[in-house]
Amino acid sequence: EESLQMWDLNKRLEAYLARVKFLEEENEVLRAEIQSAKSSPTGDSWRAKYEEELRALRDALDHAFREKCTAELARDNLYEEVQQVKSRCQKEQAAREEAKKQLSLSRKELEEERRAQIWLKERAVQLEKEVEALLEVHEEEKAGLDQEIASFSQSLESFRCAPVAFQPVEVEDYSKRLSEIWKGAVETYKTEVSQLEGSLCQAKENLWKAVEDNQQSQLQLQHLEKDLAGLKARKEMLEESLARQWQEQRGEAEKFQLAMEALEQEKQTLRVQIAQVLEDRQQLMHLKMSLSLEVATYRTLLEAESTRLQMPAG
């Protein structure tokens, strides 16, 4: 039984020794690979390349951040310009509304002046008709007076041979009174006609002034419309440039975000690989320690067994 146990122990010891030898050889190979990787220039070049790429990406990120700041400043400036253009457009709109109000007022004044002119023309025609009617009445009255004077002169001729001395005082007074009435009526008509002519001239002047004001208002409105069209075109151009810059900045930000995500993924992959290598190395160390303990245990057992077998012989 002891020989069988010893033979079993020897077999197990042989298997453990072979396994230990294999693990030691593998450990030596791994150590040599680690040392070669540490000392070889390819590893340094790979690490330097990785660090150089990381540095380049950091520089690109800093450059992108600076460009982003510059774009934000340009955006703020464009926003201020747009606000100024908006305020100017509002002012131009207010001026345009004011010009429209003035134009409407001038049109109303022009219509009133036209109506006043039409009324004055009608009044002048009416007064001319009245003057013509008065002239006709005056001519009729004058003809009647002439007939009366003629009949009166005939009656005077018929009474010339009479012994009574007749003085035509009443006829002279009547003729003087008629001439004075005629002069007063003529002066009144002349005064009314001169007043109507003055009012007509004043109406014409007001009409010309209203037409000139209307033309000036139209010219000012045309200038304001031109300025408004120019401001609208500039506003559209600024909005297009701002949208284009926003799109470019968004595209660059997306590119940098993708690059950062790729770098982060590569970093996580490297961390996982390093952790796996460390875990494998730790497992190998634990296995080596356990095998060393088993070898030491079997060595002590063999030494004890050998000493026990040698003691009777001695």
Side-chain angles (χ1 to χ4, degrees):
E1 291 176 359
E2 289 179 359
S3 63
L4 289 174
Q5 289 179 1
M6 288 297 297
W7 182 75
D8 190 11
L9 289 173
N10 287 326
K11 290 293 183 181
R12 290 175 66 186
L13 181 60
E14 186 178 357
Y16 278 117
L17 289 174
R19 188 177 177 185
V20 168
K21 186 177 180 181
F22 175 73
L23 291 173
E24 285 181 352
E25 289 176 357
E26 192 176 2
N27 195 8
E28 290 295 332
V29 172
L30 289 173
R31 188 180 290 111
E33 287 181 358
I34 291 170
Q35 292 294 329
S36 63
K38 287 182 179 179
S39 61
S40 64
T42 57
D44 294 336
S45 63
W46 178 79
R47 187 173 181 180
K49 186 178 179 181
Y50 176 74
E51 290 179 353
E52 186 177 357
E53 289 180 358
L54 187 61
R55 192 181 301 109
L57 289 172
R58 285 176 180 173
D59 293 335
L61 185 62
D62 293 335
H63 183 67
F65 184 73
R66 287 194 294 271
E67 287 184 353
K68 182 181 178 182
C69 293
T70 306
E72 286 179 354
L73 290 174
R75 181 192 65 188
D76 294 334
N77 292 326
L78 288 173
Y79 182 75
E80 290 179 357
E81 289 182 359
V82 168
Q83 292 296 326
Q84 291 178 0
V85 169
K86 284 183 179 179
S87 63
R88 189 172 178 183
C89 287
Q90 290 176 358
K91 290 180 181 178
E92 294 293 334
Q93 189 71 24
R96 186 176 178 182
E97 294 294 332
E98 187 66 25
K100 285 183 179 179
K101 289 180 181 179
Q102 291 180 0
L103 182 61
S104 63
L105 291 174
S106 61
R107 285 177 180 175
K108 289 180 181 179
E109 290 178 358
L110 182 61
E111 291 293 331
E112 291 178 357
E113 291 293 333
R114 286 178 181 175
R115 291 175 183 175
Q117 186 179 4
I118 291 169
W119 182 80
L120 289 173
K121 285 181 180 179
E122 292 177 356
R123 182 65 177 168
V125 172
Q126 186 179 0
L127 290 174
E128 287 178 357
K129 290 179 179 180
E130 290 179 359
V131 168
E132 289 177 357
L134 290 172
L135 288 173
E136 289 178 358
V137 171
H138 180 68
E139 290 293 333
E140 290 177 357
E141 290 179 355
K142 185 177 180 182
L145 290 173
D146 290 333
Q147 290 178 2
E148 289 179 359
I149 290 169
S151 62
F152 187 72
S153 61
Q154 289 178 5
S155 63
L156 287 176
E157 289 292 334
S158 63
F159 286 105
R160 184 176 295 175
C161 59
V164 180
F166 180 73
Q167 295 179 358
V169 179
E170 295 179 356
V171 175
E172 291 179 358
D173 292 335
Y174 186 67
S175 63
K176 287 180 181 180
R177 192 178 301 165
L178 286 176
S179 63
E180 288 177 358
I181 292 169
W182 170 250
K183 288 180 181 179
V186 169
E187 291 294 331
T188 304
Y189 291 141
K190 285 182 179 179
T191 304
E192 290 181 356
V193 169
S194 63
Q195 289 179 356
L196 290 173
E197 288 178 353
S199 62
L200 184 61
C201 292
Q202 186 68 29
K204 287 181 179 180
E205 289 179 358
N206 293 327
L207 181 62
W208 282 111
K209 286 181 181 179
V211 170
E212 289 179 356
D213 293 334
N214 190 9
Q215 291 178 356
Q216 290 179 359
S217 300
Q218 288 180 356
L219 291 173
Q220 188 176 2
L221 183 61
Q222 290 177 359
H223 288 301
L224 290 174
E225 287 178 352
K226 289 181 180 179
D227 294 336
L228 184 61
L231 290 172
K232 284 182 178 179
R234 186 178 178 186
K235 180 182 177 182
E236 291 177 356
M237 184 176 64
L238 290 173
E239 288 179 352
E240 289 178 357
S241 63
L242 183 61
R244 187 170 58 253
Q245 288 182 1
W246 268 106
Q247 290 179 358
E248 291 177 356
Q249 185 179 0
R250 188 177 297 171
E252 291 178 357
E254 289 178 355
K255 289 180 181 179
F256 286 117
Q257 186 68 27
L258 291 174
M260 290 296 293
E261 289 178 357
L263 288 173
E264 190 68 26
Q265 189 175 2
E266 188 177 358
K267 183 179 178 182
Q268 293 293 331
T269 306
L270 290 173
R271 283 182 178 177
V272 170
Q273 291 178 1
I274 292 169
Q276 187 68 32
V277 170
L278 291 174
E279 188 176 358
D280 292 337
R281 186 174 179 183
Q282 190 174 4
Q283 288 179 0
L284 289 173
M285 291 295 293
H286 284 296
L287 185 58
K288 182 180 178 182
M289 289 175 67
S290 63
L291 291 174
S292 298
L293 289 173
E294 289 181 0
V295 168
T297 303
Y298 280 107
R299 189 173 293 169
T300 54
L301 289 173
L302 289 173
E303 287 177 357
E305 187 65 26
S306 64
T307 52
R308 190 178 66 81
L309 290 175
Q310 288 177 4
M311 282 177 67

